[in-house]
C-alpha cells in the first residue's frame, strides 16, 4: 500500500483518482480499521502537506455574523489551543478536552472525527448544536469544485457520509454564537480518558432578560445511529426559565422519544435514563 | 521507498515499505550498513524501548516525540516519518546520563514491570515541555493516554511532580499522594 503526500489541491485530486485510494488524516481511526482488516485501501493519500486544509481562520459578514473556518487537518490539540475556540465555543472546547488522550488529540483531526461519523464522535454533538456546515472540495470544474452542506445532512448514518467519490472534506464552518447564548457539554464515559462516550449532550441556549429560554438546541451523542436532536424537548424549554421543574419535564420527553442501543459499554435503559438526566445539569447555567 | 529521518540525534536512511508501521520500523529496521568512504559501518539504532501494548492507540506504550510532539508509533506509518525528528525514551537520556524524569522515576519507585515506563517518560517530558509547573491534576491529565497496570499511578505522578518542582524551583502543586481522584478508573 503506497502512501502519497500531495502538496496542492490539483495533486490531491490527481492522486485520489487512483483506484482504491483513500484519504488519510490523523490516522487514529483509519489505521486501526485498516490493520484489523475491516477496511482496505490500495493507497493512502495523506492530507498532511496541504497547507490550505490546516488551520483556523475567521470568517464573517454577509449578514451571517462571525464564524470560524476550521481546516479539516487541524488537530484537536491545535483547536483547543486557539483563543477564539476557547472563548467563543466553550462547548466544543470541552468536548475536545475529553476526546481520546493527549497523543490522540495531537494526531487526530477535526476532519477525521467528522468523516469517521461515529455515533460517539465527541466533536459532533457540539458541532451539530452550533449548526456547523462542512466545506467539501472536489476536482469538479464548475463552482470551483467546492460545495457546502449542513453537518446534519453530511452525516447520513453510523460511519456514513454524503462525501461523493473523489470528494474531500476541506473544512468545517462554525458560526460564533453571539452574546446571550449559553453553551454546555457533558460526556459520560466508562472512564475519564480514552473513553468512547456512553452518552453525551451538547446544549446551546439563548436566554432573554429574566432568564427565559428563547431558543434551545440540544444534541446527544451515542444514543442513536447519528447525533440525535429532540425538538420536542427543546419546545418544552422555550418560554420557560431553566428550573428543575422545566428541565425535569424536558428530560421525561427525552426518555419517551430516545431510542438508544444496548452495547458493550451500556444498556439501552441506562442510556435512556442518562440522556434525560444530563439535561438537569442545565439548572446550574 | 527511501526513508530519511533523525532518530535520537542520529541520521537514519533506509529502504522501507511506505506503509510499514512506525513502531515496527523503529523496533526492528533501524539497523543498517553504511558505506562511509570505503568502510562498511554497521549502525544499530533499533529502539526497543518503544513498546507495543495495544497497537490501537489506547495504551501509550509506544509514545514517541515527533518534531517535539507526543505521538503514538503504532498509529504512524513509515512514510510519515520522512524528514522528521524522532525522540524515544532512550533519546531523552542514557543510563550514564539519565534525564531528570528517568532519575525521578527510579527514585520514586515509579517503575515496576517497566513496560509502560519508556512511554510514560516520553509523555511526561512532552507535558513538562509545554507546562513546566503542572498541578497534580494536570500531570494526571498529561499522562492520561498512558496506561500502567502495576503501580497505580501515584508514584508515577509523584516522580513527575518532583521534577516539575525542581524545574519550577518551588512548590507548584498540592500534597503528594493526595487520596482524592487518584484512580482514573470507573466513575462512581
Amino acid at each position: 500500500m503506497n502512501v502519497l503526500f500531495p502538496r496542492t489541491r490539483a495533486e490531491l485530486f490527481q492522486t485520489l483518482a487512483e483506484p482504491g485510494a483513500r484519504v488519510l488524516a490523523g490516522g487514529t481511526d483509519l489505521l486501526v480499521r485498516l490493520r484489523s482488516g475491516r477496511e482496505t485501501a490500495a493507497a493512502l493519500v495523506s492530507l498532511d502537506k496541504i497547507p490550505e486544509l490546516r488551520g483556523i481562520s475567521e470568517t464573517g459578514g454577509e449578514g451571517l455574523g462571525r464564524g470560524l473556518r476550521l481546516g479539516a487537518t487541524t488537530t484537536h490539540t491545535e483547536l483547543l489551543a486557539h483563543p477564539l475556540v476557547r472563548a467563543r465555543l466553550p462547548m466544543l472546547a470541552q468536548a475536545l478536552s475529553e476526546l481520546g488522550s493527549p497523543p490522540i488529540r495531537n494526531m487526530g483531526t477535526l476532519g477525521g472525527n467528522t468523516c469517521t461519523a461515529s455515533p460517539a464522535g465527541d466533536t459532533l454533538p457540539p458541532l451539530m448544536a452550533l449548526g456547523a456546515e462542512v466545506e467539501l472540495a472536489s476536482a469538479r470544474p464548475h463552482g470551483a469544485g467546492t460545495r457546502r452542506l449542513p453537518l446534519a445532512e453530511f452525516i447520513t448514518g453510523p460511519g456514513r457520509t454524503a462525501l461523493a467519490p473523489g470528494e474531500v472534506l476541506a473544512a468545517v464552518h462554525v458560526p460564533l454564537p453571539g452574546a446571550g447564548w449559553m453553551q454546555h457539554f457533558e460526556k459520560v464515559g466508562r472512564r475519564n480518558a480514552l473513553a468512547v462516550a456512553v452518552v453525551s449532550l451538547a446544549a446551546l441556549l439563548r436566554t432573554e432578560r429574566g432568564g427565559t429560554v428563547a431558543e434551545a438546541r440540544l444534541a446527544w451523542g451515542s444514543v442513536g445511529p447519528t447525533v440525535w436532536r429532540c425538538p420536542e424537548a427543546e419546545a418544552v424549554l422555550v418560554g420557560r426559565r431553566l428550573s428543575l421543574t422545566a428541565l425535569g419535564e424536558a428530560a421525561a420527553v427525552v426518555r419517551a422519544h430516545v431510542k438508544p442501543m444496548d452495547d458493550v459499554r451500556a444498556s439501552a435503559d441506562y442510556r435512556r435514563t442518562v440522556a434525560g438526566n444530563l439535561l438537569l445539569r442545565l439548572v446550574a447555567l | 521507498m527511501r526513508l530519511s529521518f533523525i532518530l535520537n540525534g542520529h541520521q537514519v536512511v533506509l529502504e522501507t515499505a511506505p506503509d510499514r508501521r512506525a513502531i515496527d520500523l523503529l523496533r526492528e529496521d533501524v539497523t543498517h550498513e553504511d558505506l562511509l568512504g570505503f568502510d562498511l559501518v554497521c549502525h544499530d539504532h533499533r529502539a526497543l524501548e518503544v513498546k507495543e501494548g495495544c497497537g490501537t492507540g489506547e495504551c501509550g506504550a509506544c509514545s514517541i516525540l515527533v518534531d517535539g510532539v507526543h505521538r503514538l508509533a503504532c498509529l504512524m506509518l513509515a512514510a510519515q516519518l520522512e524528514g522528521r525528528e524522532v525522540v524515544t525514551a532512550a533519546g531523552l537520556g542514557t543510563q550514564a546520563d539519565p534525564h531528570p524524569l528517568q532519575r525521578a522515576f527510579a527514585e520514586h519507585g515509579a517503575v515496576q514491570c517497566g513496560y509502560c515506563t519508556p512511554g510514560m517518560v516520553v509523555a511526561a517530558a512532552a507535558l513538562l515541555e509545554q507546562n513546566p509547573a503542572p498541578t497534580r491534576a494536570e500531570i494526571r491529565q498529561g499522562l492520561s493516554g498512558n496506561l500502567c497496570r502495576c503501580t497505580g499511578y501515584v508514584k508515577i505522578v509523584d516522580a513527575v511532580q518532583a521534577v516539575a518542582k525542581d524545574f519550577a524551583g518551588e512548590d507548584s502543586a498540592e500534597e503528594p499522594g493526595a487520596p482524592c481522584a487518584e484512580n482514573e478508573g470507573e466513575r462512581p
Side-chain angles (χ1 to χ4, degrees):
Chain A
M1 182 171 62
N2 205 356
V3 186
L4 304 159
F5 294 86
R7 285 168 185 275
T8 63
R9 251 182 202 237
E11 279 180 27
L12 167 64
F13 294 120
Q14 209 179 324
T15 46
L16 266 183
E18 279 188 34
R22 297 191 56 174
V23 168
L24 171 67
T28 55
D29 282 310
L30 181 61
L31 293 182
V32 173
R33 294 202 300 270
L34 289 175
R35 188 148 189 269
S36 74
R38 273 176 289 161
E39 293 181 22
T40 55
L44 292 177
V45 179
S46 167
L47 303 182
D48 250 9
K49 310 265 190 238
I50 305 174
E52 67 190 274
L53 296 182
R54 190 176 202 124
I56 300 162
S57 54
E58 273 189 79
T59 57
E62 295 163 42
L64 293 167
R66 289 169 69 203
L68 294 180
R69 178 186 186 272
L70 310 173
T73 58
T74 315
T75 65
H76 304 306
T77 300
E78 288 162 354
L79 289 166
L80 258 176
H82 196 277
L84 275 175
V85 172
R86 299 184 79 93
R88 303 290 300 279
L89 301 172
M91 71 201 305
L92 180 60
Q94 184 62 35
L96 288 164
S97 74
E98 295 186 52
L99 186 158
S101 67
I104 294 292
R105 293 194 286 273
N106 288 343
M107 305 174 78
T109 66
L110 187 66
N113 204 236
T114 307
C115 289
T116 295
S118 160
D122 284 323
T123 65
L124 301 179
L127 291 176
M128 209 71 99
L130 287 159
E133 292 191 350
V134 293
E135 176 189 324
L136 307 176
S138 69
R140 280 187 222 100
H142 54 81
T146 297
R147 63 171 176 144
R148 269 171 78 154
L149 212 57
L151 181 62
E153 290 173 32
F154 177 69
I155 296 177
T156 56
R160 287 200 303 273
T161 68
L163 212 56
E167 209 170 29
V168 171
L169 187 137
V172 177
H173 291 261
V174 188
L176 291 174
W181 287 92
M182 296 188 300
Q183 304 183 33
H184 172 83
F185 175 84
E186 182 170 357
K187 165 176 161 180
V188 175
R190 297 288 298 267
R191 56 196 293 274
N192 288 332
L194 283 164
V196 176
V198 167
V199 185
S200 63
L201 168 64
L204 181 66
L205 301 141
R206 186 166 61 82
T207 54
E208 288 170 342
R209 269 178 287 280
T212 311
V213 174
E215 243 180 289
R217 296 202 221 153
L218 308 172
W220 281 263
S222 291
V223 295
T226 62
V227 171
W228 182 69
R229 299 284 303 269
C230 186
E232 296 86 354
E234 293 171 1
V236 169
L237 296 180
V238 170
R240 304 173 70 178
R241 297 177 60 188
L242 291 174
S243 66
L244 214 45
T245 318
L247 291 166
E249 282 173 38
V253 170
V254 167
R255 287 187 205 103
H257 285 81
V258 70
K259 295 187 189 71
M261 272 186 7
D262 282 309
D263 70 11
V264 290
R265 280 177 282 277
S267 67
D269 274 348
Y270 178 79
R271 285 196 163 94
R272 184 177 302 108
T273 303
V274 173
N277 287 358
L278 283 178
L279 273 182
L280 305 181
R281 297 267 202 230
L282 299 179
V283 79
L285 286 184
Chain B
M1 68 176 287
R2 193 162 176 82
L3 175 70
S4 141
F5 68 105
I6 294 169
L7 174 59
N8 294 332
H10 303 284
Q11 180 70 52
V12 173
V13 182
L14 48 79
E15 200 59 41
T16 183
D19 63 344
R20 178 106 167 122
R21 290 190 311 163
I23 187 170
D24 298 327
L25 179 110
L26 292 171
R27 287 182 55 86
E28 294 167 17
D29 302 351
V30 196
T31 160
H32 63 109
E33 288 166 348
D34 238 2
L35 203 54
L36 290 177
F38 293 105
D39 292 329
L40 199 62
V41 182
C42 185
H43 301 278
D44 185 355
H45 298 308
R46 282 176 302 167
L48 295 175
E49 66 279 11
V50 182
K51 304 295 183 193
E52 179 161 12
C54 66
T56 58
E58 300 193 32
C59 77
C62 66
S63 292
I64 55 174
L65 301 178
V66 179
D67 291 341
V69 176
H70 177 189
R71 285 170 159 264
L72 301 172
C74 75
L75 295 181
M76 287 190 76
L77 301 176
Q80 294 175 299
L81 296 179
E82 173 62 36
R84 311 267 214 145
E85 188 171 351
V86 176
V87 174
T88 70
L92 289 174
T94 60
Q95 209 148 15
D97 182 21
H99 186 279
L101 279 164
Q102 292 166 325
R103 193 188 301 274
F105 267 61
E107 284 171 359
H108 285 81
V111 180
Q112 228 175 83
C113 86
Y115 200 82
C116 75
T117 311
M120 251 339 149
V121 170
V122 165
L127 168 69
L128 293 184
E129 186 63 41
Q130 287 207 320
N131 178 2
T135 63
R136 219 171 153 79
E138 287 168 340
I139 294 170
R140 298 192 59 84
Q141 264 262 315
L143 301 182
S144 62
N146 294 69
L147 297 184
C148 169
R149 302 288 81 169
C150 305
T151 73
Y153 301 103
V154 172
K155 292 173 179 199
I156 294 171
V157 178
D158 287 349
V160 178
Q161 198 174 23
V163 175
K165 277 179 184 167
D166 282 349
F167 278 3
E170 59 188 42
D171 199 329
S172 61
E174 6 11 324
E175 284 289 281
C180 62
E182 277 298 321
N183 288 308
E184 190 78 61
E186 312 284 13
R187 286 180 175 185

